[in-house]
Amino acid sequence: EAQVTQNPRYLITVTGKKLTVTCSQNMNHEYMSWYRQDPGLGLRQIYYSMNVEVTDKGDVPEGYKVSRKEKRNFPLILESPSPNQTSLYFCASSLVRGGGTGELFFGEGSRLTVL
Amino acid sequence: GNSVTQMEGPVTLSEEAFLTINCTYTATGYPSLFWYVQYPGEGLQLLLKATKADDKGSNKGFEATYRKETTSFHLEKGSVQVSDSAVYFCALAAGGTSYGKLTFGQGTILTVHP
């Protein structure tokens, strides 16, 4: 089954404790992206990656890091989480070449609370 | 830069009512336009799309027409069901983009009562 898998789905942590949210897709997509969803603000892009070892900042990258060492994985790293990073996070992927239509495939989301 | 503006929500309707959710956009060139839906506890999924002016996207009884002259892509459904209760997002991809670098609106919460 084609899917984007995120872990953990729920996490409560404390300020300053490093954490990683993993994302994996099995569709051989080149493009992967992280969004955060906050009430009244919709989805805002944090980082994206066009392919292995190619990453770039989105609209709200401060406080986050990413890496793309393998095509299928795109982890989101919070080196020193703060309460304003409490949010619902989504990983998404899509094709770039060979039939891409702009459709993004989303994971189920990871709800993060930073105390 | 690109931006998408959706009507303020939430929207509450009775079953079988007519639905319209307004969406307008600002973009250079000729973007592709999308509606995504998010059911409770799930990620977003594509509902419909249109890639050029005057195209109509449709799916599951929902429709939206790409209106370049009014820079709009309003979502409509003639008769909503309780199962349509969800959050709806309008989005655009910059012209010529074949991959998913999308700009999203703020989302509209729809609740349908029996």
Side-chain angles (χ1 to χ4, degrees), chain B residues 50-90:
Chain B
T51 57
K52 61 183 187 296
D54 299 325
D55 267 2
K56 177 186 284 188
S58 61
N59 186 25
K60 299 181 182 180
F62 290 89
E63 293 183 341
T65 301
Y66 188 163
R67 301 286 189 200
K68 184 173 180 293
E69 63 277 10
T70 55
T71 61
S72 65
F73 193 54
H74 304 322
L75 182 68
E76 296 181 336
K77 187 175 186 182
S79 176
V80 294
Q81 306 300 312
V82 172
S83 57
D84 293 326
S85 297
V87 184
Y88 292 82
F89 291 91
C90 186

Side-chain angles (χ1 to χ4, degrees), chain A residues 19-106:
Chain A
L19 67 91
T20 299
V21 186
T22 63
C23 173
S24 181
Q25 52 92 6
N26 62 1
M27 295 169 280
N28 202 35
H29 286 168
E30 298 91 349
Y31 181 88
M32 297 186 74
S33 180
W34 278 101
Y35 288 87
R36 60 178 289 174
Q37 183 180 10
D38 301 292
L41 298 177
L43 273 78
R44 294 179 293 168
Q45 191 177 47
I46 302 171
Y47 269 94
Y48 65 95
S49 169
M50 295 291 293
N51 213 326
V52 176
E53 301 293 358
V54 181
T55 63
D56 209 346
K57 296 177 181 178
D59 300 316
V60 289
E62 293 79 18
Y64 304 94
K65 287 176 57 178
V66 293
S67 68
R68 189 88 181 274
K69 294 184 170 56
E70 305 166 285
K71 196 173 186 179
R72 64 183 293 127
N73 296 323
F74 191 47
L76 179 70
I77 304 157
L78 286 72
E79 293 271 4
S80 183
S82 62
N84 64 11
Q85 293 179 297
T86 293
S87 188
L88 179 58
Y89 292 87
F90 287 101
C91 181
S93 70
S94 77
L95 282 170
V96 174
R97 291 178 285 273
T101 61
E103 179 178 358
L104 268 177
F105 293 83
F106 282 83

Side-chain angles (χ1 to χ4, degrees), chain B residues 42-56:
Chain B
E42 299 182 10
L44 283 73
Q45 55 186 276
L46 180 65
L47 180 60
L48 54 85
K49 64 179 171 68
T51 57
K52 61 183 187 296
D54 299 325
D55 267 2
K56 177 186 284 188

